[in-house]
Amino acid sequence: CFSLHYLIPQQGIPYSQSLAHFAGFLGIALVGIGTGFLFHELAHKGVAQRYGYHAEFRIWKLGLIIAVASAIISFGQFLFFAPGAVYTSTYKRPDPREEGLISTAGPVANIILAGLFFLLAMGTGYSDTWSLIGSFGFQVNLWLAAFNLIPFPPLDGVKILRWNKPAWFALAALSLWLLRMLMLGVIR
């Protein structure tokens, strides 16, 4: 879904080169998005289990269909990606603090990953595959953190805000500030 726009031939670029770009970016996207998604969900699961809850990832088939459809309809320019989430189950409802900490773990994992990918991009320069992986991983993890902090159910932000408004504000402000710096070109 994230590399689909490379399949569309650009003016003056042979289709075989478009296919090569697609294959190359597919690998970069798998590393950047794959680690971001995986560690986001594993962070939720780890914190939930630390509090004694059963936690498991459940796929959301409609979310996968929407992701593919939005990528195809927009030729890879817009994507709504929500393939599933970690669900906790127990005999009791988590208290707001536990639920807030479980929810905080995902966006924090993305912010930490963004920092690691940024170091990868900076440490290798902007001319090779590793720097492209670092740059893309940095950007996508910032977007994952910011998106998940939106205080709208079922996203993490609503549970964090319910638990601790200053914690939500600090995470949201950090994510939005980093995204703003990215969009202004101050950081890449």
Side-chain angles (χ1 to χ4, degrees):
C1 290
F2 284 88
S3 53
L4 183 65
H5 66 278
Y6 285 103
L7 278 178
I8 302 163
Q10 303 296 316
Q11 186 173 357
I13 297 175
Y15 190 67
S16 60
Q17 194 172 355
S18 290
L19 285 175
H21 285 144
F22 169 76
F25 193 75
L26 180 62
I28 291 168
L30 285 173
V31 172
I33 297 162
T35 56
F37 180 74
L38 179 68
F39 283 102
H40 179 101
E41 297 304 334
L42 284 175
H44 287 315
K45 181 178 172 92
V47 174
Q49 288 178 330
R50 183 183 180 289
Y51 286 111
Y53 299 111
H54 172 77
E56 65 182 35
F57 179 81
R58 293 187 194 155
I59 196 164
W60 185 39
K61 292 177 185 172
L62 180 60
L64 288 172
I65 292 167
I66 292 170
V68 172
S70 65
I72 290 170
I73 290 169
S74 70
F75 300 105
Q77 299 300 312
F78 172 78
L79 182 65
F80 177 81
F81 186 73
V86 167
Y87 289 87
T88 58
S89 59
T90 184
Y91 63 92
K92 68 176 179 90
R93 177 159 170 73
D95 68 47
R97 180 181 178 276
E98 290 172 348
E99 189 175 53
L101 290 170
I102 292 166
S103 296
T104 299
V108 167
N110 290 125
I111 292 168
I112 291 169
L113 279 171
L116 294 173
F117 277 116
F118 181 77
L119 292 174
L120 179 63
M122 293 290 96
T124 58
Y126 281 103
S127 61
D128 63 357
T129 303
W130 288 109
S131 66
L132 290 172
I133 290 170
S135 180
F136 182 77
F138 170 68
Q139 293 176 37
V140 78
N141 276 283
L142 283 182
W143 281 106
L144 283 169
F147 177 77
N148 278 284
L149 287 166
I150 295 171
F152 187 79
L155 299 174
D156 298 324
V158 73
K159 296 170 197 161
I160 299 167
L161 189 61
R162 188 180 315 136
W163 159 60
N164 188 317
K165 288 175 180 51
W168 175 84
F169 182 79
L171 284 172
L174 174 62
S175 295
L176 292 174
W177 178 78
L178 288 169
L179 278 175
R180 179 78 172 141
M181 295 297 104
L182 179 67
M183 288 188 245
L184 292 174
V186 175
I187 53 177
R188 298 174 216 223

